[in-house]
Amino acid sequence: MALSADDAFRALVVMGVSGSGKTSVGRRIAQVLGWDFLDADAFHSPANVAKMAAGEPLTEEDRAPWLAAMRDALARRISAGAGVVLACSALRRSYRDVLRSAGAGVAFLYLRCEEALARSRVAARGGHFFPAELVDSQFVALEEPDPAAEPDVIVADASEPLAGLTRRHVESLLAGLPRLEAG
């Protein structure tokens, strides 16, 4: 996806399976752009968190209010003219469509990640409710974006080191995004 100065993007969803680096990359992008950062984990209900912590994948019914809450948060920021980066798995196209419905100006950065890398990253992180044994369920649920059908998706290699990924893929691809004035 080529971005130009004419694009009025106000929301960027950094997406991919657990362990792909969504939060690290998303925080870095938000910092570079001077935008707010939101993490999808903060939108989960206590019941969803408990279910995942117990090793149970979420159902579509579990995800619906979670997706709606994130869509609403994006919509509020878009309507206020503020920029926002959301780190969210957005594994299925239907989930991405819910997030797109927040308003004009939603784009996606898909961090494509190999299963072994995702598993090792999730296993190595501490203090998170999402166990490594659920990584497989993320790949089962994943509907990789098709750039022809979803032209608002940028695809990046999640195996790159954060600095390289940010420099090579993010800063160059997002250079055309309008910088928002603070306040």
Side-chain angles (χ1 to χ4, degrees):
M1 172 180 181
L3 302 175
S4 73
D6 296 330
D7 291 325
F9 291 96
R10 293 289 183 215
L12 182 69
V13 178
V14 180
M15 60 162 289
V17 297
S18 188
S20 63
K22 299 179 298 291
T23 299
S24 297
V25 172
R27 283 188 197 282
R28 183 81 172 257
I29 295 169
Q31 183 178 41
V32 167
L33 296 175
W35 287 7
D36 292 338
F37 174 76
L38 301 173
D39 193 316
D41 288 347
F43 291 86
H44 277 299
S45 68
N48 280 3
V49 171
K51 190 172 187 176
M52 288 183 283
E56 294 179 54
L58 299 179
T59 65
E60 296 302 308
E61 294 76 27
D62 297 328
R63 287 186 185 97
W66 172 69
L67 288 163
M70 288 183 293
R71 177 203 58 219
D72 294 348
L74 291 176
R76 282 191 298 278
R77 283 170 173 80
I78 290 169
S79 68
V84 62
V85 176
L86 170 67
C88 174
S89 57
L91 296 175
R92 296 186 185 275
R93 183 172 180 179
S94 62
Y95 305 166
R96 296 187 291 276
D97 288 343
V98 169
L99 298 174
R100 283 184 182 101
S101 73
V106 178
F108 295 82
L109 174 63
Y110 169 47
L111 301 178
R112 182 177 283 144
C113 189
E114 296 295 322
E115 288 185 51
L117 177 60
R119 269 193 230 89
S120 70
R121 286 179 174 175
V122 171
R125 69 183 180 196
H128 195 277
F129 63 83
F130 193 89
E133 60 264 19
L134 282 183
V135 170
D136 291 343
S137 71
Q138 296 253 298
F139 281 94
V140 169
L142 177 63
E143 294 173 358
E144 283 203 337
D146 174 3
E150 295 181 87
D152 57 355
V153 179
I154 300 163
V155 179
D157 181 356
S159 68
E160 283 191 62
L162 178 60
L165 179 64
T166 301
R167 183 181 61 255
R168 209 164 76 72
H169 291 287
V170 177
E171 291 173 355
S172 65
L173 291 170
L174 302 181
L177 287 172
R179 306 253 182 211
L180 299 179
E181 298 302 318

